[in-house]
């Protein structure tokens, strides 16, 4: 058996004992009468001496059970990279496979590097095959899911559909198991952080394929991992659904963000505004009901002078200069109309900045005229969809606000009413306490239901996502037209 084993070595000499001859070109054993005239080390086989013959017989019949010494880590990686440079990915894979099958140990770091290199070289199938071999040898650690994810990203979905589906199924199973383990408190933090990353990638994959329902299942999975959902994760998902032009998906992300209590940053506001507003233009400043533009769905901002209406409008659209802001009360002296998405017939609507009521450095006659115009607008403008009533959080509900609320209770716009707290950064009390206090006071003033109260801060640039949630019926209804 030892002879047969040695005969199959590719570098074997052509001369063999008795009538067996190894032909390297065909890698087969053939019978032959006599010697083979093939050069070996510059001499033909027929010119060998007796000493050479005896040495060859001794070499062929030796029964050594010694394994070749294992390659060093550096040498193995060097040879592997050399083969990849030569685009011999299969040989590189065989090199590692032979190293493992010969019983030599392969370091975890090297294993991961080999798998990623094979995948990035266009052979995700070989990378996955090496991954499967490693998985059969030991239990998967939490980090192996990121390795599987990296293989999956390099799979050609057109040419390797079966492999794509297999990896996808493995990732989905891993997510479900991980979420279940979390509910049983039997999983470590690092694994849960990786689970969030996998959920994001799966949501992205399905939304790109147009399967919104399946995509949103992984957004809901994130709610069960809320301790590990960051602002960066939310922003990445907002980017994904914005590129896919999925308004429903965007609202799912906003709602998930709210349930997970994730903070916003400047990128969040930019992404939200960019997703819902493709363009915005000033249209007109109306001074009477007769000068109002042709009806479209409208969102109005109302409040006492210098409460921050223009600043809030700028926060919503993420534009510091779309509405003029001033420290002088009463600067807005007309109904300023801004049209959103003018070139998109099914998505356009108006944002309306109303004059401030209450104190302003204008005559009483002018203030009364503003009040009459606001009253007529709220009573007669049937296309008004949402009314944002702004209240200064640092001062609470003022006497002017109470007068306005008393009037509002006599109109038909209560179901469109939202209380918006501005300047929350100047408020010393906890946000939740302030919100609950305003809700209670509005009920006391006569509201027949608990009003949704939205805390905001233009200075700190947060609160816009709640404003967009209030606009959800308008935005989704327009997109469905």
């Amino acid at each position: 058996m030892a002879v047969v084993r040695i005969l199959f070595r590719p570098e074997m000499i052509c001369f063999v004992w008795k009538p067996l001859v190894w032909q390297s070109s065909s890698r087969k054993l053939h019978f032959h009468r006599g010697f083979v005239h093939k050069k070996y080390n510059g001499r033909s086989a027929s010119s060998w001496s007796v000493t050479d013959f005896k040495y060859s017989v001794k070499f062929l019949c030796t029964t050594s059970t010694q394994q070749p010494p294992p390659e060093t880590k550096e040498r193995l990686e060097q040879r592997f990279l050399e083969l990849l440079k030569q685009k011999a990915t299969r040989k590189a894979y065989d090199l590692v496979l032979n190293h493992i099958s010969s019983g030599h140990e392969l370091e975890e770091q090297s294993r991961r590097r080999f798998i990623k290199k094979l995948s990035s070289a266009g052979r995700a199938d070989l990378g996955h095959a090496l991954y499967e071999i490693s998985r059969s040898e030991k239990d998967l650690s939490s980090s192996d899911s990121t390795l599987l994810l990296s293989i999956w990203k390099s799979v050609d979905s057109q040419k390797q559909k079966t492999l794509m589906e297999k990896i996808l199924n493995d990732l989905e199973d891993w997510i479900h198991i991980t979420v279940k383990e979390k509910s049983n408190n039997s999983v470590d933090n690092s694994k849960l952080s990786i689970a969030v990353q996998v959920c994001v990638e799966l949501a992205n994959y399905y939304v790109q394929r147009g399967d919104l329902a399946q995509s949103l299942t992984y957004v809901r999975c994130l709610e069960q991992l809320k301790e590990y959902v960051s602002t960066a994760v939310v922003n990445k998902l907002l980017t994904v659904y914005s590129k896919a032009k999925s308004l429903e998906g965007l609202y799912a992300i906003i709602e998930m963000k709210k349930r997970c209590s994730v903070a916003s940053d400047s990128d969040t506001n930019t992404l939200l505004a960019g997703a819902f507003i493709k363009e915005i233009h000033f249209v007109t400043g109306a001074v009477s009901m007769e000068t109002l533009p042709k009806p479209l769905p409208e969102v109005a901002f109302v409040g006492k002078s210098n409460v921050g209406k223009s600043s809030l409008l700028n926060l919503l659209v993420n534009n510091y200069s779309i509405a003029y802001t001033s420290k002088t009360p009463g600067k807005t002296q007309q109904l300023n109309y801004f049209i959103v998405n003018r070139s998109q017939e099914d998505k356009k609507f108006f944002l309306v900045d109303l004059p401030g009521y209450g104190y302003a450095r204008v005559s009483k006659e002018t203030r009364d005229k503003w009040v009459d115009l606001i009253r007529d607008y709220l009573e007669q403008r049937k296309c008004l969809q949402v009314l944002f009533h702004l209240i200064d959080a640092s001062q609470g509900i003022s006497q002017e606000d109470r007068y306005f609320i008393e009037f509002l209770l006599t109109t038909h716009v209560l179901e469109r009413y939202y209380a918006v707290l501005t300047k929350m950064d100047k408020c010393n009390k906890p946000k939740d306490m302030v919100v609950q206090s305003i809700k209670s006071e509005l009920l006391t003033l006569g509201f027949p239901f608990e009003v949704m109260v939205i805390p905001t801060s233009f200075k700190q640039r947060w609160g816009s996502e709640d404003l967009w949630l209030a606009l959800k019926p308008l935005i989704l209804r327009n997109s469905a037209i």
Side-chain angles (χ1 to χ4, degrees):
M1 293 301 293
V3 174
V4 175
R5 178 173 63 82
I6 296 172
L7 287 176
F8 278 87
R9 292 174 60 85
E11 65 272 20
M12 189 58 200
I13 58 175
C14 294
F15 172 81
V16 296
W17 193 30
K18 297 274 181 162
L20 293 175
V21 176
W22 173 264
Q23 291 188 352
S24 58
S25 60
S26 61
R27 290 179 176 267
K28 293 181 181 180
L29 285 171
H30 294 269
F31 287 99
H32 198 285
R33 296 184 182 181
F35 298 106
V36 178
H37 292 275
K38 187 174 180 68
K39 289 188 177 181
Y40 180 75
N41 286 341
R43 296 174 295 170
S44 67
S46 59
S47 64
W48 282 7
S49 65
V50 175
T51 303
D52 294 328
F53 178 82
K54 289 180 178 180
Y55 175 80
S56 300
V57 172
K58 181 180 178 180
F59 174 77
L60 290 170
C61 297
T62 300
T63 56
S64 173
T65 58
Q66 283 187 331
Q67 292 288 346
E71 298 221 44
T72 63
K73 172 187 173 182
E74 293 75 13
R75 176 56 182 162
L76 181 64
E77 292 190 4
Q78 181 183 0
R79 291 182 61 195
F80 178 85
L81 293 175
E82 287 174 355
L83 290 171
L84 285 186
K85 286 182 180 179
Q86 298 169 11
K87 297 184 178 180
T89 50
R90 183 73 198 192
K91 288 184 178 180
Y93 168 77
D94 289 339
L95 175 69
V96 179
L97 190 62
N98 289 339
H99 184 84
I100 296 174
S101 60
S102 61
H104 300 140
E105 199 170 319
L106 186 63
E107 292 184 7
E108 177 70 11
Q109 186 179 7
S110 297
R111 178 184 74 93
R112 295 175 63 82
R113 186 179 296 111
F114 292 151
I115 291 173
K116 288 184 177 181
K117 289 288 185 182
L118 285 170
S119 301
S120 60
R123 291 304 301 269
D125 55 332
L126 296 181
H128 186 259
L130 188 55
Y131 169 87
E132 288 290 309
I133 291 170
S134 303
R135 185 169 71 168
S136 65
E137 293 178 349
K138 63 177 183 177
D139 294 334
L140 283 176
S141 63
S142 61
S143 61
D144 284 317
S145 56
T146 56
L147 184 58
L148 187 58
L149 194 62
S150 68
I151 299 171
W152 182 54
K153 288 182 179 180
S154 62
V155 173
D156 188 329
S157 58
Q158 301 297 324
K159 298 179 181 178
Q160 299 172 304
K161 185 177 180 180
T162 303
L163 178 58
M164 170 76 78
E165 292 176 351
K166 184 181 187 313
I167 299 177
L168 182 63
N169 290 334
D170 287 344
L171 288 170
E172 290 176 335
D173 291 342
W174 184 84
I175 281 292
H176 295 318
I177 292 171
T178 302
V179 171
K180 186 177 180 180
E181 287 176 348
K182 181 183 183 296
S183 62
N184 297 329
N185 297 319
S186 58
V187 60
D188 58 66
N189 294 341
S190 61
K191 190 172 182 179
L192 293 174
S193 297
I194 294 169
V196 170
Q197 180 187 354
V198 175
C199 281
V200 171
E201 294 298 336
L202 291 175
N204 182 29
Y205 171 75
Y206 280 112
V207 79
Q208 296 301 326
R209 294 188 62 185
D211 191 345
L212 180 63
Q214 185 65 19
S215 174
L216 294 181
T217 61
Y218 294 101
V219 174
R220 288 189 285 272
C221 275
L222 288 173
E223 295 180 15
Q224 302 178 59
L225 305 167
K226 60 182 182 180
E227 301 91 337
Y228 304 91
V229 178
S230 64
T231 305
V233 168
V234 170
N235 290 347
K236 182 172 182 179
L237 287 170
L238 287 174
T239 302
V240 167
Y241 286 94
S242 179
K243 287 182 178 178
K245 299 180 180 180
S246 173
L247 297 178
E248 186 178 347
L250 287 166
Y251 273 111
I253 301 305
I254 296 174
E255 290 165 353
M256 179 273 293
K257 173 186 180 296
K258 192 172 180 65
R259 294 190 189 102
C260 295
S261 302
V262 179
S264 299
D265 61 10
S266 59
D267 289 339
T268 309
N269 294 328
T270 301
L271 288 166
L272 284 173
F276 295 114
I277 299 179
K278 303 305 179 185
E279 54 179 327
I280 183 168
H281 303 278
F282 176 75
V283 177
T284 186
V287 295
S288 66
M289 294 298 294
E290 292 74 22
T291 58
L292 296 183
K294 182 180 178 181
L296 279 177
E298 293 182 6
V299 179
F301 299 78
V302 66
K304 68 178 183 178
S305 299
N306 203 32
V307 74
K309 295 190 308 299
S310 298
S311 295
L312 186 74
L313 196 153
N314 286 329
L315 173 65
L316 180 67
V317 303
N318 197 45
N319 189 320
Y320 287 90
S321 59
I322 191 68
Y324 184 80
T325 60
S326 173
K327 293 183 179 180
T328 304
K331 192 66 179 180
T332 302
Q333 301 182 13
Q334 53 194 5
L335 277 72
N336 290 324
Y337 270 77
F338 302 88
I339 188 168
V340 177
N341 302 330
R342 178 172 58 187
S343 60
Q344 301 178 356
E345 188 64 31
D346 59 339
K347 295 180 181 179
K348 61 184 180 181
F349 60 94
F350 283 129
L351 296 177
V352 188
D353 186 8
L354 302 180
Y357 56 76
Y359 171 79
R361 293 179 181 176
V362 294
S363 65
K364 183 178 181 299
E365 181 182 355
T366 301
R367 290 201 305 271
D368 291 342
K369 183 179 179 181
W370 292 350
V371 171
D372 291 340
L373 179 58
I374 294 172
R375 180 185 296 110
D376 292 342
Y377 173 81
L378 294 176
E379 289 180 340
Q380 300 175 28
R381 195 67 167 174
K382 304 300 182 183
C383 57
L384 177 63
Q385 302 295 313
V386 176
L387 176 65
F388 288 130
H389 178 204
L390 280 61
I391 299 170
D392 191 329
S394 62
Q395 299 179 13
I397 297 179
S398 65
Q399 187 60 46
E400 291 87 354
D401 294 326
R402 290 188 178 91
Y403 290 149
F404 176 74
I405 291 170
E406 287 176 3
F407 155 72
L408 202 64
L409 291 171
T410 66
T411 68
H412 60 280
V413 298
L414 290 184
E415 67 276 7
R416 309 168 200 172
Y417 175 90
Y418 294 87
V420 180
L421 302 182
T422 62
K423 307 178 183 179
M424 279 296 297
D425 51 283
K426 296 182 179 180
C427 191
N428 297 324
K429 297 179 180 179
K431 181 171 63 175
D432 292 342
M433 183 182 296
V434 175
V435 168
Q436 192 56 49
S437 175
I438 297 296
K439 285 183 177 181
S440 299
E441 191 168 355
L442 289 173
L443 288 172
T444 302
L445 289 172
F447 270 87
F449 54 84
E450 187 175 88
V451 174
M452 180 177 176
V453 178
I454 304 173
T456 66
S457 171
F458 176 75
K459 184 177 180 180
Q460 296 180 352
R461 309 296 293 175
W462 55 262
S464 64
E465 65 269 20
D466 287 324
L467 297 175
W468 285 114
L469 278 175
L471 297 178
K472 181 178 178 181
L474 167 66
I475 298 294
L476 293 186
R477 185 181 65 181
N478 279 2
S479 65
I481 294 175

